[in-house]
Amino acid sequence: MTREKMIKKIKFLAKEAKLRIQYKMAKDCIFCKIVKGEIKSAPVYQTDTVMAINDINPVAASHVLIFPKRHIDSVLTVKKGDGEALEDMFAVAQKLISERRLEAFRLAFNGGRYQHVPHLHMHLVAGSTIKWSQL
Ligand code: AMP
Ligand code: ZN
């Protein structure tokens, strides 16, 4: 096999492996399962593209998770075509902040070792003292 052919084959195998990992993450992803209704949840609000649910382990009086229905791994994998999903997430956050008349709030994305659910999500926390270290 020529050097060029070998490089082409390695690139192909790497691409395949990446796709397999992405597929596995989406398949086993807890938030994807919530979107599909395979795990029960009581959505606080949802649109065609975004879901908002109460955090199961709240760190403040109000703790909502806002995430795109389409699987995106994390802030590290957000790319150009994802803009609309992000806009929709912020629109949902704005709606909840306004409806709940939240005068002080925090919006946070965790990443790296701080991120436990590998599906992009925004924390909307407000109310009593925020246990920031637990977020
Ligand atoms: P992070 O550490 O940023 O990935 O945050 C993940 C959040 O998801 C944590 O605050 C968890 O309490 C929350 N969580 C995990 N599973 C569920 C679930 N089934 N329903 C609601 N919230 C969840
Ligand atoms: Zn997912």
Side-chain angles (χ1 to χ4, degrees):
M1 190 185 289
T2 63
R3 191 173 174 272
E4 284 71 30
K5 271 195 176 162
M6 198 162 350
I7 290 171
K8 208 170 160 191
K9 189 168 179 189
I10 289 168
K11 279 188 179 163
F12 174 77
L13 288 174
K15 201 172 155 195
E16 284 280 285
K18 196 176 162 197
L19 282 175
R20 263 200 304 277
I21 290 166
Q22 279 175 353
Y23 174 67
K24 188 172 175 353
M25 286 192 87
K27 197 167 151 246
D28 296 336
C29 171
I30 185 170
F31 286 178
C32 282
K33 284 185 176 171
I34 286 176
V35 169
K36 284 187 266 176
E38 290 170 13
I39 291 178
K40 283 254 171 313
S41 76
V44 167
Y45 182 70
Q46 62 176 315
T47 67
D48 286 349
T49 55
V50 174
M51 198 149 190
I53 61 171
N54 280 320
D55 196 296
I56 207 168
N57 188 18
V59 300
S62 179
H63 187 169
V64 178
L65 300 171
I66 301 167
F67 52 89
K69 288 187 171 176
R70 181 171 62 78
H71 185 93
I72 297 173
D73 291 344
S74 76
V75 289
L76 295 176
T77 62
V78 168
K79 50 188 188 317
K80 253 198 170 140
D82 296 330
E84 203 176 323
L86 296 184
E87 280 175 27
D88 295 351
M89 285 168 72
F90 278 94
V92 168
Q94 288 162 358
K95 182 183 165 63
L96 294 176
I97 290 162
S98 149
E99 275 180 5
R100 296 179 176 204
R101 300 178 199 281
L102 302 178
E103 288 172 357
F105 58 86
R106 278 184 185 154
L107 289 172
F109 289 91
N110 286 330
R113 277 186 295 113
Y114 287 165
Q115 182 181 359
H116 299 94
V117 175
H119 180 127
L120 182 76
H121 54 279
M122 183 158 71
H123 294 258
L124 167 59
V125 283
S128 54
T129 314
I130 297 167
K131 290 176 229 149
W132 189 245
S133 59
Q134 289 177 24
L135 187 62

